[in-house]
Amino acid sequence: MTTTGSGDSKVEFPRDRLSPISTEADFTVNVVAAGEKPRRQSFFKIFLTMSLMVKLAALWLIFIVGLALYAKLDTAVFNGALPLQDPNFQTNNFDPSTGEFGTGERLEKPSGQHWLGTDAIARDSFARIAHGSWVSLIVALVAASFGLIVGGFLGALVGYVRGWTETVVMWAIDVILAFPALVLLLAMVSIFRVRSLFIISLVIGVLSIPAYTRVARANSLAISNREFVTAARAIGTSRTKILFREIIPNVMPTLISYAMVAAAFVVVVEGTLSFLGLSVQLPQSTWGNMINQARSDIKVDVWQVIYPSLALTFSVLSLNQVGDFFQKRRSVRDSAI
Amino acid sequence: MGKLLAARFVRLLATLFAVTLVSFFMVVLLPGDPAVAILGQDGVQNPELLQQVQDELGLNDPLHVRYGDWLGKAVRGDLGDSYTNRGQSVADTIADRVPVTAQLAFMAILIAVIFAVPLGVIGAYKQGRWPDKATSASAQVALSVPNFITGIFFIWLFAVKLNLLPASNWNRMSNGLGANLKTAIMPATALALTQMAIFSRLVRSDMIATLQENYILAARAKGMSDRFILFRHALRPSSLSLMTIVGINFGALLGGTVVIETLFAIPGLGFRLINAISQRDIQVIQGITVFIAVVYVVINTIVDLLYIAIDPRIRRK
């Protein structure tokens, strides 16, 4: 048997032989044979199987992503022409063209014009939350991509190759994990004088790699011992090909369901950084810096603290709920096979 | 056992070495000249003085020499002086602030364990019924609320609305225990909430596993009360992983108090770290980072060893 052509390395295994493997992180493995296209269910069908709580969570996440895209579209493409207020416009400002002060006030209550009222310097809170969700979205996405691509590849590689590569990589990862996450993050962030969204995403992204590597390695270890990998080796498939066609396709689905839970953590971390004034620089609004700015007026108006806090908490809760749902769904499917 | 201890010790040393290496080089890579930071405008106008300070700090030596000097001093407890507050030794600053942070972390863990263990036991005992569902759902929520939001909520409720507890003005232990606890209880509880959720989930799942064991069935057959079985027979074997997590999270809390200390203006390590970052006081950032990392690594090792000492199943391997 030769290994030329993709069909030859395809190893069919009866589905009933597959049993769930529990790994270090309790993320179970669902095996996809090389070349096989996993059966895809439409998102809507999956959505219908969710419990009410998870449905609400998924809807909230869709809403936040939509809001973030809308806010970014408004400023980046339409120059603020879409119906969303300018997040940095102080509505009580002096306007030189009319020679009058704006009619807005600081700490306004919610109204038709300002859906969530105005903040301490009379800026529209809804617009600020919308633009804040863009920051959270980008940071979460960049961290997940770093984790999935770099962490996933590293973990899959060392779990399959073993030997000194594994020793060196895992030792390096242990060293990074030897620092409490927030302290290392603070120390790294303090290196940069100018903190753009790009820099913050990059730092959080790099620091996300170790956890993904661990999960990927644990899965890769389990998969490397499976029959279909042995079979692929027996027919003379090259190591690179086994890694990319057998190991990584089977590590990824597990890692993606981990990514949701990890994203919840990343959103909290970014919120914490912003709260400490060490994330993306002002005037860019983030949920964390809105909370920090509003807390000095807590005696006058607690609502300006509550809105961004709820946005942050609901998003984290939703990511956790949806992440748990997908994780459970995977393990249920695995044990049913 | 002796071999295992030796291996663990070698690993500890290797990790500690790497941690100091990372902390040192992270700071060396920082843009900007520390000598200029110390001298300010004087340094820019007076190159001779600048040169002198650079020599004093050893900034012109090769990197490995600088690392060796720094490590040699650090091992002896000398982490250098602060660049912005001249003459203030970093080690003294840390020694001054550790008790505050340690107290907060300790109280948080204590509060968390006190509430988490009964909640976890109830969850396991009433598995699938409403007490379990209620505690699991609250744990889910508690895990999702960042601790600074909990903290602000506490401030709003207890300091602004009810006017019961102070929102800032930390009282040191030397000002009397009562005054100290009054300022410490709110931040500690805010920190404890997340931990409580983690711990109670852990106790619940371990307890569910333990309750399936035969000896529990035997105890039940002997006619012992459920409460006795739960707390005297089942709790101890179910608390092993709890102990590990408590140990690890105590180490992590030493760093995690950063936000809560900032929020409540508590003069602990974390608050100092944030100050140092805003002043770009590199020596202090480096000192605190390496200190927390070393404590964290050492605590994790101790927890590992305790785990081995307590669980006979692991010891025999």
Side-chain angles (χ1 to χ4, degrees):
Chain A
M1 206 183 261
T2 59
T3 55
T4 50
S6 61
D8 289 332
S9 60
K10 180 174 167 183
V11 182
E12 288 288 346
F13 253 86
R15 280 279 175 170
D16 57 10
R17 294 273 300 278
L18 308 178
S19 55
I21 301 165
S22 83
T23 60
E24 188 182 321
D26 263 338
F27 281 89
T28 48
V29 180
N30 186 17
V31 169
V32 184
E36 180 199 339
K37 280 249 159 58
R39 258 176 299 147
R40 286 199 187 283
Q41 265 180 298
S42 76
F43 181 76
F44 187 69
K45 268 189 188 155
I46 299 172
F47 182 77
L48 289 181
T49 64
M50 291 174 173
S51 69
L52 180 67
M53 183 70 189
V54 182
K55 266 184 195 149
L56 286 175
L59 285 178
W60 173 263
L61 290 180
I62 294 170
F63 169 69
I64 286 295
V65 171
L67 194 64
L69 292 176
Y70 181 81
K72 192 63 195 171
L73 210 64
D74 182 33
T75 47
V77 181
F78 291 94
N79 269 326
L82 293 182
L84 182 73
Q85 308 224 355
D86 180 348
N88 298 322
F89 178 68
Q90 292 169 243
T91 54
N92 60 356
N93 247 6
F94 181 72
D95 184 355
S97 60
T98 56
E100 278 170 26
F101 283 92
T103 51
E105 272 176 57
R106 59 190 301 271
L107 300 176
E108 266 181 53
K109 292 275 171 252
S111 63
Q113 198 189 1
H114 303 292
W115 289 1
L116 295 178
T118 57
D119 73 354
I121 51 174
R123 294 174 298 193
D124 182 61
S125 290
F126 182 75
R128 290 188 73 72
I129 286 186
H131 281 273
S133 55
W134 172 256
V135 174
S136 297
L137 177 69
I138 290 302
V139 171
L141 282 181
V142 170
S145 332
F146 262 86
L148 287 174
I149 297 170
V150 184
F153 175 75
L154 263 185
L157 178 76
V158 301
Y160 173 58
V161 178
R162 314 291 315 259
W164 64 268
T165 326
E166 187 190 23
T167 315
V168 172
V169 170
M170 292 322 285
W171 186 68
I173 295 245
D174 281 346
V175 168
I176 298 175
L177 291 174
F179 289 88
L182 189 61
V183 173
L184 186 59
L185 180 65
L186 286 173
M188 281 183 73
V189 161
S190 67
I191 293 177
F192 299 97
R193 253 172 229 275
V194 180
R195 288 182 288 271
S196 59
L197 181 55
F198 176 73
I199 297 282
I200 295 294
S201 314
L202 199 72
V203 172
I204 296 183
V206 168
L207 288 182
S208 311
I209 294 173
Y212 281 89
T213 310
R214 279 202 157 176
V215 176
R217 172 180 164 270
N219 280 290
S220 169
L221 278 176
I223 289 165
S224 303
N225 291 326
R226 297 290 289 269
E227 305 87 337
F228 61 91
V229 176
T230 318
R233 266 227 312 270
I235 59 173
T237 316
S238 74
R239 274 153 63 103
T240 325
K241 208 164 180 187
I242 291 181
L243 180 66
F244 281 99
R245 293 186 55 87
E246 310 285 350
I247 311 277
I248 291 181
N250 284 310
V251 168
M252 273 305 157
T254 315
L255 215 55
I256 290 170
S257 61
Y258 172 73
M260 282 228 136
V261 182
F265 183 67
V266 163
V267 170
V268 172
V269 163
E270 194 283 324
T272 308
L273 270 190
S274 303
F275 178 76
L276 294 169
L278 294 170
S279 182
V280 188
Q281 264 148 348
L282 295 168
Q284 169 69 52
S285 60
T286 65
W287 295 338
N289 72 27
M290 290 182 71
I291 297 171
N292 190 30
Q293 286 171 344
R295 82 182 157 106
S296 46
D297 288 312
I298 197 169
K299 283 182 186 160
V300 191
D301 186 0
V302 71
W303 288 100
Q304 291 304 325
V305 179
I306 292 178
Y307 303 133
S309 299
L310 285 183
L312 179 53
T313 308
F314 282 166
S315 303
V316 176
L317 190 61
S318 302
L319 281 169
N320 278 331
Q321 291 283 330
V322 177
D324 279 357
F325 169 82
F326 277 109
Q327 194 190 322
K328 266 186 204 139
R329 190 166 165 272
R330 294 192 58 75
S331 42
V332 167
R333 253 182 35 194
D334 286 343
S335 51
I337 294 168
Chain B
M1 189 73 189
K3 214 173 166 187
L4 196 134
L5 273 179
R8 205 68 191 81
F9 189 69
V10 170
R11 222 180 103 192
L12 172 71
L13 285 185
T15 313
L16 284 180
F17 176 71
V19 161
T20 56
L21 208 64
V22 171
S23 312
F24 178 78
F25 280 100
M26 199 162 54
V27 169
V28 167
L29 296 177
L30 280 175
D33 186 343
V36 176
I38 292 176
L39 295 169
Q41 274 304 307
D42 297 352
V44 184
Q45 285 153 4
N46 189 343
E48 264 173 48
L49 189 64
L50 192 68
Q51 185 67 39
Q52 192 192 333
V53 173
Q54 279 176 343
D55 285 345
E56 252 173 57
L57 294 173
L59 291 176
N60 298 325
D61 294 341
L63 275 183
H64 63 273
V65 176
R66 284 176 65 188
Y67 173 68
D69 283 351
W70 176 80
L71 187 63
K73 282 185 182 166
V75 168
R76 277 173 272 141
D78 177 8
L79 289 165
D81 289 344
S82 157
Y83 284 161
T84 45
N85 301 339
R86 293 188 67 180
Q88 189 191 44
S89 126
V90 177
D92 286 349
T93 315
I94 293 177
D96 187 40
R97 282 155 189 269
V98 162
V100 177
T101 301
Q103 186 202 349
L104 268 186
F106 186 73
M107 278 179 69
I109 292 280
L110 196 70
I111 295 171
V113 170
I114 288 176
F115 285 96
V117 168
L119 285 176
V121 171
I122 291 170
Y125 181 55
K126 301 269 182 192
Q127 192 196 343
R129 281 184 283 164
W130 72 262
D132 180 30
K133 283 183 178 157
T135 48
S136 295
S138 343
Q140 274 275 357
V141 175
L143 274 178
S144 303
V145 187
N147 54 18
F148 60 93
I149 292 183
T150 321
I152 294 181
F153 174 72
F154 281 173
I155 289 181
W156 175 76
L157 186 65
F158 295 110
V160 176
K161 283 285 146 190
L162 301 175
N163 209 1
L164 280 174
L165 295 165
S168 55
N169 294 326
W170 174 261
N171 264 314
R172 288 211 160 227
M173 207 89 95
S174 50
N175 294 357
L177 194 62
N180 170 259
L181 286 181
K182 210 173 169 188
T183 47
I185 190 76
M186 217 160 40
T189 315
L191 271 176
L193 219 62
T194 321
Q195 307 298 326
M196 210 186 289
I198 298 173
F199 296 167
S200 73
R201 279 179 145 198
L202 203 65
V203 171
R204 176 183 172 273
S205 61
D206 281 3
M207 194 74 156
I208 286 174
T210 313
L211 290 180
Q212 319 265 322
E213 300 270 351
N214 283 333
Y215 70 89
I216 299 291
L217 193 68
R220 207 166 264 166
K222 280 196 289 186
M224 287 172 159
S225 75
D226 280 1
R227 187 184 297 176
F228 193 82
I229 293 174
L230 282 176
F231 286 94
R232 300 304 289 271
H233 286 235
L235 187 57
R236 205 176 126 161
S238 313
S239 49
L240 275 173
S241 39
L242 175 71
M243 206 192 63
T244 319
I245 292 294
V246 164
I248 292 171
N249 283 16
F250 181 77
L253 268 184
L254 286 182
T257 52
V258 172
V259 198
I260 288 294
E261 282 176 11
T262 311
L263 177 61
F264 288 89
I266 298 167
L269 269 189
F271 195 30
R272 185 71 186 90
L273 179 63
I274 295 295
N275 279 342
I277 289 175
S278 57
Q279 297 169 345
R280 295 186 71 75
D281 193 342
I282 293 156
Q283 290 284 79
V284 176
I285 301 176
Q286 187 179 45
I288 293 182
T289 310
V290 81
F291 175 80
I292 291 179
V294 166
V295 171
Y296 188 52
V297 172
V298 170
I299 287 182
N300 282 357
T301 307
I302 295 175
V303 168
D304 261 13
L305 293 178
L306 271 182
Y307 196 74
I308 295 168
I310 289 177
D311 193 338
R313 285 168 297 189
I314 303 176
R315 200 167 31 197
R316 246 179 265 125
K317 270 181 204 164

